[in-house]
Amino acid sequence: MAVVGFTPVTFLVHHQFNLLYQFWIHTSLIKNLGPLEWVLNTPSHHRAHHGRNPLYIDINYGGVFIIWDRLFGTFQVEDPAEPAYYGLVGKLQSHNALYVQIVRLKEIWRRIGTHTNLPDKISAALKGPRWRPGLPFFGLLQRHIPLRDKEKNPEVMYNPSIPVWMMVYATLHFSAVLPYFFAMLARYEHEGSWTVTQVAITFAHVGLSLSFVGSVLDKRWWIPAAETLRCGALSALFTSLPGFSAGEQDPMLVHAMLALFVASMCFWPIYALSQAKRKVT
């Protein structure tokens, strides 16, 4: 859009209107809106969009208007006999924010590697997740799954057993990430933008922190070492991070966050040693 002349402000304003519109269509209370179903993206169309049933894969992309899907062949009406099963195709067994972003790219790369000629490799990258040579664009010859097959193989939600203290730890450290993001927004709103370096540091810090905190909930073996290093680095570089130099934040917030990072840095080596002793005994 920028190439054809739309300014960032124009894009952002329309993007926000698009998101505001989509707020009300995420519901199962509204069933059918009659003639509006032909033109607008409605709750019925959007329920189908979020379904992981083969019938509803790769359909109803429109944000506000459903006419685009009708024009480009990606429209599918919600079938009362086939209620949408929400979620992803395939299991996503992680709370790691970075892993969640790249796992599908990893799967696409694996699919590309299974083909030997260039046209099939391109098709594997661009076509539906179940595409194979000789199949349609989406790779689905049979879009309906009999109810008996669904009942035989119910989807098991990823929900590892997590101690209460880990939940508290993850909640505290997730909360400790937010002030950095809010500091960046406040700078944009009141004093002008940060430098590219400052924004990159903030996003790297926020991304890695969310990734590590999510992996705490996954109980990954490498978390004690990773969290010791992360919390140690944050303790040492606390006042050097963008938005947290002297006087920029409330002193009580600064002291609370610093105490959290120092305490966590000390906690994980002790936890790792106790776990190692337990395995030996």
Side-chain angles (χ1 to χ4, degrees), residues 7 11 57 60 83-84 121 188 224 266:
T7 65
F11 168 78
I57 297 296
N60 299 359
K121 287 180 180 290
Y188 271 101
C266 298

Side-chain angles (χ1 to χ4, degrees), residues 201-238:
I201 290 172
T202 301
F203 270 87
H205 161 224
V206 169
L208 284 174
S209 293
L210 292 178
S211 173
F212 286 8
V213 170
S215 294
V216 169
L217 300 179
D218 293 333
K219 297 194 286 190
R220 303 301 183 193
W221 64 267
W222 46 267
I223 274 299
E227 278 295 274
T228 301
L229 291 173
R230 183 182 75 89
C231 294
L234 288 174
S235 301
L237 304 173
F238 190 80

Side-chain angles (χ1 to χ4, degrees), residues 11-153:
F11 168 78
L12 289 172
V13 168
H14 283 79
H15 180 64
Q16 291 303 310
F17 277 126
N18 179 56
L19 291 178
L20 286 171
Y21 177 87
Q22 291 189 44
F23 178 80
W24 75 278
I25 62 178
H26 287 85
T27 180
S28 35
L29 298 177
I30 301 172
K31 302 305 180 185
N32 191 286
L33 294 177
L36 294 178
E37 301 280 339
W38 283 91
V39 180
L40 296 176
N41 188 16
T42 64
S44 175
H45 297 329
H46 207 59
R47 285 193 294 272
H49 168 78
H50 280 292
R52 57 182 168 84
N53 322 35
L55 178 64
Y56 299 133
I57 297 296
D58 293 325
I59 52 98
N60 299 359
Y61 291 107
V64 176
F65 296 106
I66 205 65
I67 54 174
W68 307 114
D69 290 285
R70 293 182 181 275
L71 287 172
F72 293 106
T74 53
F75 174 72
Q76 172 63 48
V77 68
E78 183 183 33
D79 185 350
E82 178 91 5
Y85 286 80
Y86 305 124
L88 300 174
V89 176
K91 295 180 180 179
L92 186 60
Q93 296 186 316
S94 178
H95 293 105
N96 184 320
L98 293 183
Y99 175 80
V100 167
Q101 299 303 314
I102 65 173
V103 63
R104 295 308 175 197
L105 297 177
K106 180 181 176 182
E107 173 61 20
I108 291 172
W109 185 256
R110 186 197 64 78
R111 288 205 309 269
I112 292 172
T114 62
H115 300 285
T116 55
N117 62 72
L118 184 59
D120 285 347
K121 287 180 180 290
I122 294 173
S123 294
L126 301 180
K127 293 184 179 180
R130 297 186 185 182
W131 178 86
R132 299 293 183 273
L135 294 183
F137 187 93
F138 298 116
L140 297 169
L141 291 177
Q142 175 55 265
R143 276 187 168 264
H144 289 272
I145 298 179
L147 187 61
R148 63 179 179 274
D149 292 340
K150 295 175 188 173
E151 292 172 345
K152 274 188 210 172
N153 303 289

Side-chain angles (χ1 to χ4, degrees), residues 191-202:
E191 302 174 22
S193 61
W194 281 356
T195 65
V196 173
T197 302
Q198 288 175 314
V199 173
I201 290 172
T202 301

